[in-house]
Amino acid sequence: MKIENLRKENNADRVRIIAKVIWENCDRPSQDVYFETTSEFGDALFLNPNSFLLACALPAMRYGEKRIAIDAPISPEIKDGLINSMKCLIDWHGQGRQVIEIEAPIETEVLFTDKPPRAGALFSGGIDALAMVRDNHLNFAKDHPRHIKDGILVYGVLQGENEQDPSFQNVINAVSAMAEDAGIKLIQVYTNAYAHFRDLDPDFSFWRFEYHGSFLAAIAHAFVTRLSVASIASTYDFANLEPWGSHPLLDPLYSTTSLQIRHENAALSRLEKTKLVGEWDVALKHLRVCNEKQSYSQGNYNCGKCEKCVRTMTAFLSLGLLEQISTFKEKDVSKEKLVNTCYLSDNYEENCYRELIKPLTDINRLDLVDGIKQISKRYHEQDLKGMIKRLDRTLFKGNLLEIGQKLKK
């Protein structure tokens, strides 16, 4: 893979940095990859070769490129970090891959050492990101270098996203309200850095298990003239760590002397994060945990039907807070809905439910306690339905029913 023709462009109310990406061994067309922001933050958007390298190196390795070459100076720290990251991912996932060569001139000096310290964070508006900001603001005074002052909202990951879709503006409105209440500047970023090869990853497995940490770090490095620290919220907690694309072993590898990448709050369980968010009134009014884009109508950012929604609703119900969350239209969770919706995929998800048993017992929701025990038993493949579901996810990527229907025809 070659990365060349790096440039910066201004267009109306947007500013964009661009590089041409040329696949050499994978039969794919060349593509202009970009990171774009609004004109308010255009001066801070830096044409940073490290951003494009971070966005492209792991996809290049994953999809069979023999090298990645960029015709601009890169940080030796980023090169070293990516090599270590590739080795870690190979140990985790194997599949006959090997570390690819990184061919680029090396920076001979550390840049931007005289900028004032400023902390930012990737800020999606979900539980992990909201808990990270609240925990940060509770522990670091406003004048502390680690106090988060900027939140980066990224657009361009989900399939079928369209900037003209009014649902996206609804998301911006919700996240903007929470950012304003927290006293942080919201930086909107638009990118196709994942979209240009997303068809190679139809089930998001590469994104989830290998890529999204380096992708988010790439965006942070595009604002290296503004930020000295950029934080990424953890998904897994320390007790349930598994191979994942954003991980306490991986994210710091994407740092430089000029910009530290931090993986935050892995010491907190999902319920502990939910409790932090539950103390933030504005967050409860605008909470968005759902990835079902069709649900993003004004004032309704969650479908209330997917596993993630039901898990979050059950957690807030256990804390006595579900009634206060206007973005969930339903104010209760039934055992039937819990059991029919929540098929667990790993130990972390199981723990997210099992830690709800005590608070649910305390409020006498023994029906949901029984439901959690049932889905946990199913996860451990102790009933036939659970075994079939797990086999479907593992071998057929959730398409077993569709395959069965085709065979009947």
Side-chain angles (χ1 to χ4, degrees):
M1 178 182 284
K2 294 191 293 185
I3 304 172
E4 58 186 37
N5 192 18
L6 277 67
R7 59 204 188 272
K8 185 173 182 177
E9 296 179 355
N10 293 281
N11 183 16
D13 60 345
R14 300 279 185 88
V15 179
R16 174 180 288 196
I17 57 173
I18 313 164
K20 186 175 184 179
V21 173
I22 302 171
W23 297 79
E24 297 179 297
N25 305 109
C26 185
D27 184 19
R28 297 189 62 76
S30 301
Q31 180 79 37
D32 275 351
V33 170
Y34 66 84
F35 300 100
E36 182 177 271
T37 190
T38 57
S39 57
E40 179 184 359
F41 301 101
D43 289 344
L45 186 66
F46 177 62
L47 185 58
N48 193 344
N50 296 311
S51 289
F52 294 103
L53 183 61
L54 282 165
C56 295
L58 297 186
M61 179 184 75
R62 174 64 181 86
Y63 296 112
E65 295 293 290
K66 303 302 182 185
R67 65 164 186 168
I68 183 163
I70 184 168
D71 61 356
I74 63 168
S75 163
E77 295 165 295
I78 292 293
K79 181 177 181 179
D80 181 68
L82 279 169
I83 291 171
N84 280 278
S85 174
M86 286 189 277
K87 288 180 178 178
C88 182
L89 291 170
I90 289 169
D91 285 341
W92 284 351
H93 304 293
Q95 300 176 358
R97 284 178 276 174
Q98 59 184 8
V99 174
I100 62 173
E101 294 292 328
I102 299 175
E103 301 177 7
I106 299 298
E107 294 173 351
T108 57
E109 60 180 332
V110 178
L111 304 177
F112 314 118
T113 55
D114 57 348
K115 65 182 176 183
R118 188 177 182 90
L122 281 299
F123 191 61
S124 63
I127 292 290
D128 295 332
L130 292 171
M132 172 178 62
V133 169
R134 179 159 177 79
D135 183 63
N136 174 275
H137 286 188
L138 289 172
N139 287 288
F140 296 96
K142 288 184 178 181
D143 59 352
H144 193 282
R146 285 273 308 280
H147 182 91
I148 293 173
K149 295 183 174 68
D150 290 333
I152 301 174
L153 174 63
V154 182
Y155 187 77
V157 175
L158 296 179
Q159 186 76 32
E161 286 186 326
N162 183 338
E163 290 179 39
Q164 307 306 316
D165 188 333
S167 66
F168 178 57
Q169 186 58 52
N170 293 330
V171 172
I172 292 176
N173 294 342
V175 179
S176 295
M178 294 183 283
E180 182 179 2
D181 188 68
I184 63 178
K185 291 280 189 179
L186 187 66
I187 302 173
Q188 298 170 36
V189 173
Y190 307 81
T191 179
N192 68 341
Y194 175 61
H196 81 98
F197 67 88
R198 188 167 45 207
D199 60 303
L200 297 174
D201 188 32
D203 61 355
F204 273 66
S205 59
F206 174 63
W207 167 268
R208 290 181 293 136
F209 293 107
E210 303 184 45
Y211 181 54
H212 65 279
S214 67
F215 171 90
L216 296 174
I219 293 169
H221 278 280
F223 294 92
V224 67
T225 62
R226 180 182 178 93
L227 299 176
S228 54
V229 177
S231 294
I232 300 173
S234 66
T235 299
Y236 293 102
D237 55 15
F238 286 133
N240 297 283
L241 279 179
E242 295 191 11
W244 196 242
S246 173
H247 192 280
L249 288 179
L250 294 181
D251 294 352
L253 295 174
Y254 309 133
S255 301
T256 66
T257 300
S258 302
L259 178 59
Q260 179 187 16
I261 305 296
R262 293 185 57 87
H263 183 94
E264 302 282 12
N265 296 131
L268 299 178
S269 73
R270 180 75 173 187
L271 182 59
E272 288 171 326
K273 293 176 182 178
T274 305
K275 287 179 180 177
L276 276 172
V277 176
E279 299 167 356
W280 186 353
D281 291 342
V282 173
L284 295 181
K285 294 177 181 177
H286 299 281
L287 181 68
R288 176 179 74 101
V289 301
C290 187
N291 291 326
E292 299 295 331
K293 186 174 69 69
Q294 61 269 26
S295 299
Y296 298 170
S297 59
Q298 187 62 40
N300 180 29
Y301 308 110
N302 306 290
C303 72
K305 300 175 182 178
C306 68
E307 185 277 328
K308 197 173 182 182
C309 278
V310 174
R311 185 202 323 166
T312 305
M313 292 166 65
T314 307
F316 278 114
L317 178 65
S318 77
L319 298 172
L321 295 172
L322 184 56
E323 286 281 348
Q324 299 180 35
I325 305 179
S326 56
T327 57
F328 282 119
K329 299 307 180 186
E330 295 184 37
K331 303 305 179 185
D332 194 16
V333 179
S334 68
K335 175 184 174 180
E336 180 183 18
K337 186 170 194 174
L338 183 72
V339 172
N340 290 340
T341 303
C342 302
Y343 286 84
L344 308 181
S345 60
D346 56 31
N347 291 338
Y348 167 74
E349 286 187 2
E350 183 188 24
N351 187 69
C352 288
Y353 289 97
R354 294 195 69 86
E355 66 177 346
L356 302 180
I357 289 177
K358 184 181 186 307
L360 287 170
T361 301
D362 291 343
I363 62 171
N364 202 34
R365 287 303 302 267
L366 301 183
D367 57 330
L368 295 180
V369 171
D370 186 63
I372 288 171
K373 291 178 179 178
Q374 188 170 331
I375 64 174
S376 179
K377 178 181 177 181
R378 181 172 61 202
Y379 167 62
H380 291 287
E381 302 181 344
Q382 295 176 19
D383 69 358
L384 179 61
K385 189 175 180 181
M387 292 175 67
I388 293 172
K389 281 283 187 178
R390 194 166 177 84
L391 180 69
D392 184 19
R393 289 196 304 272
T394 303
L395 298 182
F396 302 102
K397 298 181 179 178
N399 297 314
L400 186 59
L401 179 61
E402 181 180 345
I403 292 170
Q405 289 173 341
K406 289 180 179 178
L407 290 175
K408 289 181 180 179
K409 295 179 180 180

